[in-house]
Amino acid sequence: MTIRRDPQVPNNIFELERHEKFGDYACAYKDELTSRYENLDVIYIPYFPIDIDLAFFQSMTFPAEAKKIGTRNGLENKMFIRNGNKIEIDRNHVLVRLFPDVSLACYVHEQICSVNGQIRDAMRALFPRYLSIRQGNITWRLTETVNEGLHVDGFFGGQPTPPAVKGREQRIKLFINIDSEPRRWWTSYPLPELLKRHRHHFADGVPDDVDQLTHQISRSPWMQEIPHHEIDFPTLAAVTGEAQGIPHAIRYGRRVIVAEFLCSSKDMIVPGKHVQAALRQWLTEADIKLVSSEQYIKKLTADGLI
């Protein structure tokens, strides 16, 4: 593992001591991991102890159209169906479409289901305060990525976050490198610091909506010029962090598992640190004016960002 820290960027990378079991990480750090996560630290896990056939997956590459294939695409769906008295392979299963050899498709399926189950157990152990934690999407990204730009995660394409979900859930995101080569990752100023240092880019104001803000930030050319830390994390190392509050980018990587989980924001140690809950205060501290979502959409549309 190599970390190259830029002195212009706050040192918000928290490196864990290596442990061989998730329970040992839980005993060593208790609620500190949750607290660090809510403080917008990047948590570096030097060894993520999952049982996986690494040699098998390191020999495999998914096609570009399956770059972010995950559980929402049916990866864990049952492979077999009953047709009357016959048990048949489900030819519509996503893995059967990727691997016409049924035995190969079944082995990939068994491995993915096993590893995903281990990740689910790990997240409950590492974040015990998040009692309502549930799986969002677990993607198996076995496709090369090169020189991705710095961005913060956003949803809804620049439109306002729907009221039914706005600020309701805390999102936990995890990246596990399963390639034989280190995965090169960049990260930069946490969102409140980014707003302070680059307030001049928001002179027209922004709404109190994190998805609209992150949409603009991620599409702004100046984001690619800001200082950043660099993390090269090796096979079976992992990083986790609030991807809506921490700029990040994959500069090089070929095989990674990306797991997203959700829990009620009420489970947080400090619910007020939820990115959406804290945004208004961050904007005030950065001296950035608030505007309505409607005004904002008109501006983004005029600038070609929507």
Side-chain angles (χ1 to χ4, degrees):
M1 179 273 297
T2 301
I3 298 178
R4 293 175 291 277
R5 292 178 170 87
D6 190 307
Q8 299 177 77
V9 181
N11 180 20
N12 64 326
I13 302 172
F14 181 52
E15 300 177 60
L16 307 190
E17 295 292 330
R18 178 180 172 128
H19 290 281
E20 304 304 310
K21 298 178 181 178
F22 294 120
D24 293 338
Y25 281 115
C27 289
Y29 293 99
K30 299 182 174 61
D31 282 342
E32 185 174 10
L33 297 185
T34 307
S35 179
R36 293 274 188 168
Y37 193 95
E38 293 179 10
N39 286 337
L40 301 183
D41 284 347
V42 173
I43 300 170
Y44 174 78
I45 305 172
Y47 175 59
F48 201 84
I50 51 175
D51 180 11
I52 181 175
D53 189 342
L54 277 175
F56 174 73
F57 282 105
Q58 289 172 358
S59 69
M60 181 184 302
T61 300
F62 282 175
E65 59 269 22
K67 179 177 181 178
K68 293 186 178 182
I69 193 168
T71 51
R72 287 179 180 165
N73 304 105
L75 278 185
E76 290 187 333
N77 289 0
K78 294 178 181 179
M79 296 285 293
F80 295 89
I81 55 176
R82 184 168 69 84
N83 185 5
N85 294 326
K86 294 182 179 180
I87 305 299
E88 301 175 344
I89 191 73
D90 182 359
R91 295 289 174 182
N92 291 318
H93 194 285
V94 62
L95 289 175
V96 177
R97 297 200 303 269
L98 281 173
F99 304 99
D101 181 333
V102 171
S103 60
L104 181 58
C106 288
Y107 186 68
V108 174
H109 183 257
E110 185 275 334
Q111 281 283 305
I112 287 175
C113 289
S114 171
V115 171
N116 286 357
Q118 295 172 64
I119 293 171
R120 286 189 281 269
D121 290 342
M123 298 303 278
R124 294 186 184 96
L126 297 175
F127 297 95
R129 291 282 301 239
Y130 292 164
L131 297 177
S132 65
I133 196 167
R134 61 181 177 83
Q135 179 184 309
N137 195 18
I138 302 179
T139 54
W140 287 65
R141 305 182 184 185
L142 308 185
T143 304
E144 185 178 73
T145 299
V146 179
N147 295 336
E148 178 185 75
L150 276 167
H151 65 282
V152 276
D153 285 5
F155 310 92
F156 311 111
Q159 299 299 316
T161 310
V165 299
K166 190 171 184 177
R168 300 285 179 86
E169 292 186 307
Q170 168 78 327
R171 185 178 301 271
I172 307 101
K173 194 165 186 178
L174 173 76
F175 304 81
I176 310 164
N177 184 20
I178 59 171
D179 192 42
S180 57
E181 295 186 24
R183 192 167 184 84
R184 298 204 294 270
W185 206 71
W186 285 4
T187 186
S188 189
Y189 306 113
L191 189 53
E193 185 70 16
L194 182 76
L195 293 171
K196 289 179 182 177
R197 289 175 178 260
H198 294 276
R199 62 171 63 88
H200 57 286
H201 291 297
F202 308 98
D204 294 315
V206 298
D208 180 19
D209 188 293
V210 67
D211 284 303
Q212 290 187 292
L213 176 62
T214 56
H215 180 89
Q216 175 182 345
I217 289 172
S218 297
R219 285 156 181 77
S220 298
W222 57 266
M223 270 292 287
Q224 309 316 314
E225 306 298 327
I226 65 176
H228 54 269
H229 302 310
E230 300 178 7
I231 305 174
D232 297 348
F233 55 106
T235 308
L236 290 185
V239 293
T240 181
E242 172 47 272
Q244 278 204 292
I246 305 170
H248 57 283
I250 303 302
R251 301 304 291 173
Y252 175 78
R254 299 186 301 183
R255 299 173 180 90
V256 67
I257 304 170
V258 180
E260 293 183 327
F261 286 77
L262 301 165
C263 73
S264 169
S265 57
K266 295 178 181 178
D267 285 353
M268 296 175 66
I269 295 175
V270 183
K273 289 186 177 181
H274 184 280
V275 173
Q276 179 59 62
L279 181 57
R280 183 178 290 266
Q281 180 179 343
W282 295 343
L283 294 172
T284 299
E285 292 173 350
D287 196 25
I288 297 173
K289 69 178 180 180
L290 288 170
V291 297
S292 70
S293 290
E294 292 74 19
Q295 289 175 286
Y296 192 65
I297 289 172
K298 287 180 181 180
K299 173 62 178 174
L300 291 188
T301 301
D303 292 343
L305 295 175
I306 292 183

